[in-house]
PDB file of all heavy atoms in Angstrom:
ATOM      1  N   TRP Z1357      12.022  86.789 -44.918  1.00  0.00           N
ATOM      2  CA  TRP Z1357      10.575  87.064 -44.812  1.00  0.00           C
ATOM      3  C   TRP Z1357       9.765  85.931 -45.429  1.00  0.00           C
ATOM      4  O   TRP Z1357       8.749  85.512 -44.875  1.00  0.00           O
ATOM      5  CB  TRP Z1357      10.276  88.390 -45.509  1.00  0.00           C
ATOM      6  CG  TRP Z1357       8.848  88.838 -45.362  1.00  0.00           C
ATOM      7  CD1 TRP Z1357       8.293  89.458 -44.289  1.00  0.00           C
ATOM      8  CD2 TRP Z1357       7.800  88.668 -46.325  1.00  0.00           C
ATOM      9  NE1 TRP Z1357       6.965  89.706 -44.522  1.00  0.00           N
ATOM     10  CE2 TRP Z1357       6.635  89.225 -45.771  1.00  0.00           C
ATOM     11  CE3 TRP Z1357       7.743  88.122 -47.599  1.00  0.00           C
ATOM     12  CZ2 TRP Z1357       5.428  89.253 -46.447  1.00  0.00           C
ATOM     13  CZ3 TRP Z1357       6.532  88.135 -48.274  1.00  0.00           C
ATOM     14  CH2 TRP Z1357       5.396  88.696 -47.705  1.00  0.00           C
ATOM     15  N   LEU Z1358      10.193  85.426 -46.572  1.00  0.00           N
ATOM     16  CA  LEU Z1358       9.487  84.310 -47.199  1.00  0.00           C
ATOM     17  C   LEU Z1358       9.593  83.050 -46.353  1.00  0.00           C
ATOM     18  O   LEU Z1358       8.628  82.281 -46.240  1.00  0.00           O
ATOM     19  CB  LEU Z1358      10.057  84.050 -48.593  1.00  0.00           C
ATOM     20  CG  LEU Z1358       9.823  85.149 -49.639  1.00  0.00           C
ATOM     21  CD1 LEU Z1358      10.561  84.821 -50.929  1.00  0.00           C
ATOM     22  CD2 LEU Z1358       8.345  85.337 -49.910  1.00  0.00           C
ATOM     23  N   LYS Z1359      10.746  82.838 -45.743  1.00  0.00           N
ATOM     24  CA  LYS Z1359      10.901  81.684 -44.863  1.00  0.00           C
ATOM     25  C   LYS Z1359      10.003  81.821 -43.644  1.00  0.00           C
ATOM     26  O   LYS Z1359       9.426  80.828 -43.167  1.00  0.00           O
ATOM     27  CB  LYS Z1359      12.361  81.560 -44.441  1.00  0.00           C
ATOM     28  CG  LYS Z1359      12.641  80.347 -43.554  1.00  0.00           C
ATOM     29  CD  LYS Z1359      14.105  80.285 -43.137  1.00  0.00           C
ATOM     30  CE  LYS Z1359      14.345  79.075 -42.226  1.00  0.00           C
ATOM     31  NZ  LYS Z1359      15.743  79.032 -41.746  1.00  0.00           N
ATOM     32  N   HIS Z1360       9.844  83.021 -43.140  1.00  0.00           N
ATOM     33  CA  HIS Z1360       8.957  83.250 -41.999  1.00  0.00           C
ATOM     34  C   HIS Z1360       7.502  82.951 -42.357  1.00  0.00           C
ATOM     35  O   HIS Z1360       6.708  82.575 -41.485  1.00  0.00           O
ATOM     36  CB  HIS Z1360       9.096  84.694 -41.525  1.00  0.00           C
ATOM     37  CG  HIS Z1360       8.173  85.049 -40.390  1.00  0.00           C
ATOM     38  ND1 HIS Z1360       8.359  84.581 -39.107  1.00  0.00           N
ATOM     39  CD2 HIS Z1360       7.057  85.814 -40.352  1.00  0.00           C
ATOM     40  CE1 HIS Z1360       7.397  85.049 -38.325  1.00  0.00           C
ATOM     41  NE2 HIS Z1360       6.593  85.800 -39.056  1.00  0.00           N
ATOM     42  N   ASN Z1361       7.156  83.087 -43.640  1.00  0.00           N
ATOM     43  CA  ASN Z1361       5.803  82.802 -44.100  1.00  0.00           C
ATOM     44  C   ASN Z1361       5.633  81.351 -44.533  1.00  0.00           C
ATOM     45  O   ASN Z1361       4.763  81.035 -45.355  1.00  0.00           O
ATOM     46  CB  ASN Z1361       5.434  83.734 -45.252  1.00  0.00           C
ATOM     47  CG  ASN Z1361       5.098  85.124 -44.786  1.00  0.00           C
ATOM     48  OD1 ASN Z1361       3.971  85.426 -44.391  1.00  0.00           O
ATOM     49  ND2 ASN Z1361       6.089  86.009 -44.804  1.00  0.00           N
ATOM     50  N   GLU Z1362       6.472  80.470 -44.007  1.00  0.00           N
ATOM     51  CA  GLU Z1362       6.343  79.021 -44.150  1.00  0.00           C
ATOM     52  C   GLU Z1362       6.608  78.532 -45.560  1.00  0.00           C
ATOM     53  O   GLU Z1362       6.111  77.481 -45.971  1.00  0.00           O
ATOM     54  CB  GLU Z1362       4.954  78.548 -43.703  1.00  0.00           C
ATOM     55  CG  GLU Z1362       4.617  78.898 -42.259  1.00  0.00           C
ATOM     56  CD  GLU Z1362       3.245  78.414 -41.853  1.00  0.00           C
ATOM     57  OE1 GLU Z1362       2.633  77.673 -42.650  1.00  0.00           O
ATOM     58  OE2 GLU Z1362       2.791  78.767 -40.768  1.00  0.00           O
ATOM     59  N   LEU Z1363       7.410  79.254 -46.329  1.00  0.00           N
ATOM     60  CA  LEU Z1363       7.781  78.783 -47.654  1.00  0.00           C
ATOM     61  C   LEU Z1363       9.068  77.976 -47.558  1.00  0.00           C
ATOM     62  O   LEU Z1363       9.998  78.356 -46.842  1.00  0.00           O
ATOM     63  CB  LEU Z1363       7.981  79.955 -48.618  1.00  0.00           C
ATOM     64  CG  LEU Z1363       6.733  80.423 -49.385  1.00  0.00           C
ATOM     65  CD1 LEU Z1363       5.747  81.079 -48.430  1.00  0.00           C
ATOM     66  CD2 LEU Z1363       7.109  81.392 -50.495  1.00  0.00           C
ATOM     67  N   SER Z1364       9.123  76.878 -48.270  1.00  0.00           N
ATOM     68  CA  SER Z1364      10.318  76.047 -48.276  1.00  0.00           C
ATOM     69  C   SER Z1364      11.382  76.678 -49.169  1.00  0.00           C
ATOM     70  O   SER Z1364      11.087  77.529 -50.017  1.00  0.00           O
ATOM     71  CB  SER Z1364       9.978  74.643 -48.775  1.00  0.00           C
ATOM     72  OG  SER Z1364       9.493  74.692 -50.107  1.00  0.00           O
ATOM     73  N   GLN Z1367      10.732  76.534 -52.930  1.00  0.00           N
ATOM     74  CA  GLN Z1367       9.763  77.530 -53.363  1.00  0.00           C
ATOM     75  C   GLN Z1367      10.387  78.920 -53.409  1.00  0.00           C
ATOM     76  O   GLN Z1367      10.162  79.685 -54.360  1.00  0.00           O
ATOM     77  CB  GLN Z1367       8.554  77.531 -52.423  1.00  0.00           C
ATOM     78  CG  GLN Z1367       7.668  76.305 -52.539  1.00  0.00           C
ATOM     79  CD  GLN Z1367       6.506  76.338 -51.572  1.00  0.00           C
ATOM     80  OE1 GLN Z1367       6.631  76.812 -50.442  1.00  0.00           O
ATOM     81  NE2 GLN Z1367       5.370  75.846 -51.991  1.00  0.00           N
ATOM     82  N   ILE Z1368      11.180  79.249 -52.391  1.00  0.00           N
ATOM     83  CA  ILE Z1368      11.826  80.562 -52.362  1.00  0.00           C
ATOM     84  C   ILE Z1368      12.754  80.726 -53.555  1.00  0.00           C
ATOM     85  O   ILE Z1368      12.782  81.787 -54.205  1.00  0.00           O
ATOM     86  CB  ILE Z1368      12.588  80.740 -51.036  1.00  0.00           C
ATOM     87  CG1 ILE Z1368      11.605  80.759 -49.856  1.00  0.00           C
ATOM     88  CG2 ILE Z1368      13.414  82.015 -51.051  1.00  0.00           C
ATOM     89  CD1 ILE Z1368      12.276  80.806 -48.496  1.00  0.00           C
ATOM     90  N   ILE Z1371      10.724  81.340 -56.715  1.00  0.00           N
ATOM     91  CA  ILE Z1371      10.106  82.669 -56.729  1.00  0.00           C
ATOM     92  C   ILE Z1371      11.135  83.730 -57.092  1.00  0.00           C
ATOM     93  O   ILE Z1371      10.879  84.620 -57.919  1.00  0.00           O
ATOM     94  CB  ILE Z1371       9.463  82.962 -55.367  1.00  0.00           C
ATOM     95  CG1 ILE Z1371       8.244  82.058 -55.143  1.00  0.00           C
ATOM     96  CG2 ILE Z1371       9.050  84.426 -55.255  1.00  0.00           C
ATOM     97  CD1 ILE Z1371       7.681  82.137 -53.748  1.00  0.00           C
ATOM     98  N   ALA Z1386       2.908  89.602 -52.228  1.00  0.00           N
ATOM     99  CA  ALA Z1386       2.686  88.670 -51.116  1.00  0.00           C
ATOM    100  C   ALA Z1386       1.858  89.331 -50.009  1.00  0.00           C
ATOM    101  O   ALA Z1386       0.975  88.696 -49.414  1.00  0.00           O
ATOM    102  CB  ALA Z1386       4.020  88.187 -50.565  1.00  0.00           C
ATOM    103  N   GLU Z1387       2.118  90.596 -49.736  1.00  0.00           N
ATOM    104  CA  GLU Z1387       1.322  91.310 -48.737  1.00  0.00           C
ATOM    105  C   GLU Z1387      -0.129  91.447 -49.203  1.00  0.00           C
ATOM    106  O   GLU Z1387      -1.066  91.337 -48.398  1.00  0.00           O
ATOM    107  CB  GLU Z1387       1.926  92.694 -48.477  1.00  0.00           C
ATOM    108  CG  GLU Z1387       3.280  92.660 -47.771  1.00  0.00           C
ATOM    109  CD  GLU Z1387       3.168  92.228 -46.317  1.00  0.00           C
ATOM    110  OE1 GLU Z1387       2.037  92.047 -45.832  1.00  0.00           O
ATOM    111  OE2 GLU Z1387       4.222  92.051 -45.680  1.00  0.00           O
ATOM    112  N   LEU Z1389      -1.705  89.333 -51.212  1.00  0.00           N
ATOM    113  CA  LEU Z1389      -2.332  88.012 -51.125  1.00  0.00           C
ATOM    114  C   LEU Z1389      -2.822  87.720 -49.716  1.00  0.00           C
ATOM    115  O   LEU Z1389      -3.836  87.042 -49.527  1.00  0.00           O
ATOM    116  CB  LEU Z1389      -1.341  86.937 -51.572  1.00  0.00           C
ATOM    117  CG  LEU Z1389      -0.997  86.900 -53.066  1.00  0.00           C
ATOM    118  CD1 LEU Z1389       0.092  85.884 -53.337  1.00  0.00           C
ATOM    119  CD2 LEU Z1389      -2.226  86.589 -53.897  1.00  0.00           C
ATOM    120  N   LYS Z1390      -2.132  88.241 -48.733  1.00  0.00           N
ATOM    121  CA  LYS Z1390      -2.589  88.048 -47.355  1.00  0.00           C
ATOM    122  C   LYS Z1390      -3.920  88.747 -47.100  1.00  0.00           C
ATOM    123  O   LYS Z1390      -4.729  88.280 -46.292  1.00  0.00           O
ATOM    124  CB  LYS Z1390      -1.533  88.560 -46.376  1.00  0.00           C
ATOM    125  CG  LYS Z1390      -0.310  87.673 -46.264  1.00  0.00           C
ATOM    126  CD  LYS Z1390       0.635  88.191 -45.189  1.00  0.00           C
ATOM    127  CE  LYS Z1390       1.828  87.273 -45.009  1.00  0.00           C
ATOM    128  NZ  LYS Z1390       2.733  87.754 -43.938  1.00  0.00           N
ATOM    129  N   THR Z1391      -4.165  89.849 -47.791  1.00  0.00           N
ATOM    130  CA  THR Z1391      -5.422  90.574 -47.580  1.00  0.00           C
ATOM    131  C   THR Z1391      -6.628  89.816 -48.120  1.00  0.00           C
ATOM    132  O   THR Z1391      -7.760  90.080 -47.701  1.00  0.00           O
ATOM    133  CB  THR Z1391      -5.350  91.954 -48.246  1.00  0.00           C
ATOM    134  OG1 THR Z1391      -5.165  91.789 -49.670  1.00  0.00           O
ATOM    135  CG2 THR Z1391      -4.187  92.762 -47.685  1.00  0.00           C
ATOM    136  N   ILE Z1392      -6.414  88.881 -49.054  1.00  0.00           N
ATOM    137  CA  ILE Z1392      -7.530  88.078 -49.569  1.00  0.00           C
ATOM    138  C   ILE Z1392      -7.487  86.663 -48.974  1.00  0.00           C
ATOM    139  O   ILE Z1392      -8.028  85.724 -49.548  1.00  0.00           O
ATOM    140  CB  ILE Z1392      -7.513  88.021 -51.101  1.00  0.00           C
ATOM    141  CG1 ILE Z1392      -6.238  87.383 -51.629  1.00  0.00           C
ATOM    142  CG2 ILE Z1392      -7.701  89.409 -51.693  1.00  0.00           C
ATOM    143  CD1 ILE Z1392      -6.253  87.120 -53.126  1.00  0.00           C
ATOM    144  N   HIS Z1393      -6.794  86.534 -47.828  1.00  0.00           N
ATOM    145  CA  HIS Z1393      -6.818  85.309 -47.020  1.00  0.00           C
ATOM    146  C   HIS Z1393      -6.006  84.168 -47.636  1.00  0.00           C
ATOM    147  O   HIS Z1393      -6.325  82.984 -47.431  1.00  0.00           O
ATOM    148  CB  HIS Z1393      -8.243  84.840 -46.762  1.00  0.00           C
ATOM    149  CG  HIS Z1393      -9.155  85.906 -46.238  1.00  0.00           C
ATOM    150  ND1 HIS Z1393      -9.036  86.424 -44.971  1.00  0.00           N
ATOM    151  CD2 HIS Z1393     -10.181  86.579 -46.820  1.00  0.00           C
ATOM    152  CE1 HIS Z1393      -9.951  87.360 -44.783  1.00  0.00           C
ATOM    153  NE2 HIS Z1393     -10.656  87.479 -45.891  1.00  0.00           N
ATOM    154  N   VAL Z1394      -4.976  84.474 -48.401  1.00  0.00           N
ATOM    155  CA  VAL Z1394      -4.021  83.456 -48.831  1.00  0.00           C
ATOM    156  C   VAL Z1394      -2.947  83.365 -47.759  1.00  0.00           C
ATOM    157  O   VAL Z1394      -2.312  84.357 -47.422  1.00  0.00           O
ATOM    158  CB  VAL Z1394      -3.397  83.801 -50.195  1.00  0.00           C
ATOM    159  CG1 VAL Z1394      -2.397  82.730 -50.608  1.00  0.00           C
ATOM    160  CG2 VAL Z1394      -4.487  83.937 -51.251  1.00  0.00           C
ATOM    161  N   LYS Z1395      -2.735  82.176 -47.237  1.00  0.00           N
ATOM    162  CA  LYS Z1395      -1.868  82.041 -46.070  1.00  0.00           C
ATOM    163  C   LYS Z1395      -0.784  81.001 -46.304  1.00  0.00           C
ATOM    164  O   LYS Z1395      -0.928  80.090 -47.115  1.00  0.00           O
ATOM    165  CB  LYS Z1395      -2.698  81.644 -44.841  1.00  0.00           C
ATOM    166  CG  LYS Z1395      -3.786  82.640 -44.480  1.00  0.00           C
ATOM    167  CD  LYS Z1395      -4.583  82.165 -43.285  1.00  0.00           C
ATOM    168  CE  LYS Z1395      -5.695  83.152 -42.932  1.00  0.00           C
ATOM    169  NZ  LYS Z1395      -6.497  82.678 -41.774  1.00  0.00           N
ATOM    170  N   GLY Z1396       0.305  81.170 -45.527  1.00  0.00           N
ATOM    171  CA  GLY Z1396       1.340  80.150 -45.420  1.00  0.00           C
ATOM    172  C   GLY Z1396       1.966  79.770 -46.744  1.00  0.00           C
ATOM    173  O   GLY Z1396       2.270  80.605 -47.597  1.00  0.00           O
ATOM    174  N   ARG Z1397       2.148  78.478 -46.906  1.00  0.00           N
ATOM    175  CA  ARG Z1397       2.798  77.955 -48.105  1.00  0.00           C
ATOM    176  C   ARG Z1397       1.992  78.234 -49.360  1.00  0.00           C
ATOM    177  O   ARG Z1397       2.527  78.148 -50.479  1.00  0.00           O
ATOM    178  CB  ARG Z1397       3.005  76.441 -47.962  1.00  0.00           C
ATOM    179  CG  ARG Z1397       4.066  76.063 -46.945  1.00  0.00           C
ATOM    180  CD  ARG Z1397       4.170  74.563 -46.807  1.00  0.00           C
ATOM    181  NE  ARG Z1397       5.240  74.190 -45.898  1.00  0.00           N
ATOM    182  CZ  ARG Z1397       6.456  73.840 -46.294  1.00  0.00           C
ATOM    183  NH1 ARG Z1397       6.745  73.824 -47.566  1.00  0.00           N
ATOM    184  NH2 ARG Z1397       7.379  73.508 -45.416  1.00  0.00           N
ATOM    185  N   SER Z1398       0.709  78.538 -49.219  1.00  0.00           N
ATOM    186  CA  SER Z1398      -0.106  78.815 -50.400  1.00  0.00           C
ATOM    187  C   SER Z1398       0.387  80.040 -51.142  1.00  0.00           C
ATOM    188  O   SER Z1398       0.156  80.170 -52.351  1.00  0.00           O
ATOM    189  CB  SER Z1398      -1.578  79.012 -49.987  1.00  0.00           C
ATOM    190  OG  SER Z1398      -2.082  77.847 -49.379  1.00  0.00           O
ATOM    191  N   ILE Z1399       1.060  80.962 -50.457  1.00  0.00           N
ATOM    192  CA  ILE Z1399       1.616  82.134 -51.137  1.00  0.00           C
ATOM    193  C   ILE Z1399       2.638  81.691 -52.167  1.00  0.00           C
ATOM    194  O   ILE Z1399       2.662  82.188 -53.304  1.00  0.00           O
ATOM    195  CB  ILE Z1399       2.241  83.097 -50.113  1.00  0.00           C
ATOM    196  CG1 ILE Z1399       1.153  83.644 -49.182  1.00  0.00           C
ATOM    197  CG2 ILE Z1399       2.963  84.244 -50.805  1.00  0.00           C
ATOM    198  CD1 ILE Z1399       1.684  84.535 -48.090  1.00  0.00           C
ATOM    199  N   GLY Z1400       3.498  80.768 -51.799  1.00  0.00           N
ATOM    200  CA  GLY Z1400       4.468  80.253 -52.749  1.00  0.00           C
ATOM    201  C   GLY Z1400       3.810  79.534 -53.909  1.00  0.00           C
ATOM    202  O   GLY Z1400       4.252  79.649 -55.060  1.00  0.00           O
ATOM    203  N   VAL Z1401       2.730  78.791 -53.633  1.00  0.00           N
ATOM    204  CA  VAL Z1401       2.021  78.094 -54.700  1.00  0.00           C
ATOM    205  C   VAL Z1401       1.433  79.093 -55.687  1.00  0.00           C
ATOM    206  O   VAL Z1401       1.478  78.891 -56.911  1.00  0.00           O
ATOM    207  CB  VAL Z1401       0.921  77.190 -54.101  1.00  0.00           C
ATOM    208  CG1 VAL Z1401       0.095  76.553 -55.201  1.00  0.00           C
ATOM    209  CG2 VAL Z1401       1.534  76.114 -53.221  1.00  0.00           C
ATOM    210  N   VAL Z1402       0.877  80.175 -55.175  1.00  0.00           N
ATOM    211  CA  VAL Z1402       0.300  81.195 -56.054  1.00  0.00           C
ATOM    212  C   VAL Z1402       1.378  81.808 -56.936  1.00  0.00           C
ATOM    213  O   VAL Z1402       1.187  81.999 -58.146  1.00  0.00           O
ATOM    214  CB  VAL Z1402      -0.404  82.276 -55.210  1.00  0.00           C
ATOM    215  CG1 VAL Z1402      -0.848  83.441 -56.088  1.00  0.00           C
ATOM    216  CG2 VAL Z1402      -1.602  81.687 -54.486  1.00  0.00           C
ATOM    217  N   PHE Z1403       2.528  82.123 -56.363  1.00  0.00           N
ATOM    218  CA  PHE Z1403       3.607  82.709 -57.146  1.00  0.00           C
ATOM    219  C   PHE Z1403       4.085  81.757 -58.244  1.00  0.00           C
ATOM    220  O   PHE Z1403       4.345  82.173 -59.378  1.00  0.00           O
ATOM    221  CB  PHE Z1403       4.784  83.064 -56.237  1.00  0.00           C
ATOM    222  CG  PHE Z1403       4.610  84.368 -55.516  1.00  0.00           C
ATOM    223  CD1 PHE Z1403       4.971  84.493 -54.184  1.00  0.00           C
ATOM    224  CD2 PHE Z1403       4.100  85.476 -56.146  1.00  0.00           C
ATOM    225  CE1 PHE Z1403       4.824  85.688 -53.516  1.00  0.00           C
ATOM    226  CE2 PHE Z1403       3.942  86.681 -55.491  1.00  0.00           C
ATOM    227  CZ  PHE Z1403       4.309  86.789 -54.167  1.00  0.00           C
ATOM    228  N   GLY Z1436      -9.243  83.338 -50.716  1.00  0.00           N
ATOM    229  CA  GLY Z1436      -7.914  82.786 -50.493  1.00  0.00           C
ATOM    230  C   GLY Z1436      -7.836  81.325 -50.889  1.00  0.00           C
ATOM    231  O   GLY Z1436      -6.847  80.881 -51.504  1.00  0.00           O
ATOM    232  N   SER Z1440      -5.604  79.974 -54.016  1.00  0.00           N
ATOM    233  CA  SER Z1440      -4.550  79.021 -53.666  1.00  0.00           C
ATOM    234  C   SER Z1440      -4.609  77.789 -54.552  1.00  0.00           C
ATOM    235  O   SER Z1440      -3.575  77.181 -54.849  1.00  0.00           O
ATOM    236  CB  SER Z1440      -4.669  78.605 -52.197  1.00  0.00           C
ATOM    237  OG  SER Z1440      -4.539  79.726 -51.351  1.00  0.00           O
TER     238      SER Z1440
END
Side-chain angles (χ1 to χ4, degrees):
W1357 185 80
L1358 293 174
K1359 182 181 179 183
H1360 177 72
N1361 284 275
E1362 302 180 8
L1363 271 69
S1364 62
Q1367 289 179 324
I1368 295 175
I1371 291 171
E1387 292 289 355
L1389 290 174
K1390 287 185 177 182
T1391 62
I1392 61 172
H1393 310 290
V1394 179
K1395 301 178 181 179
R1397 289 177 176 263
S1398 299
I1399 296 177
V1401 175
V1402 172
F1403 279 138
S1440 299

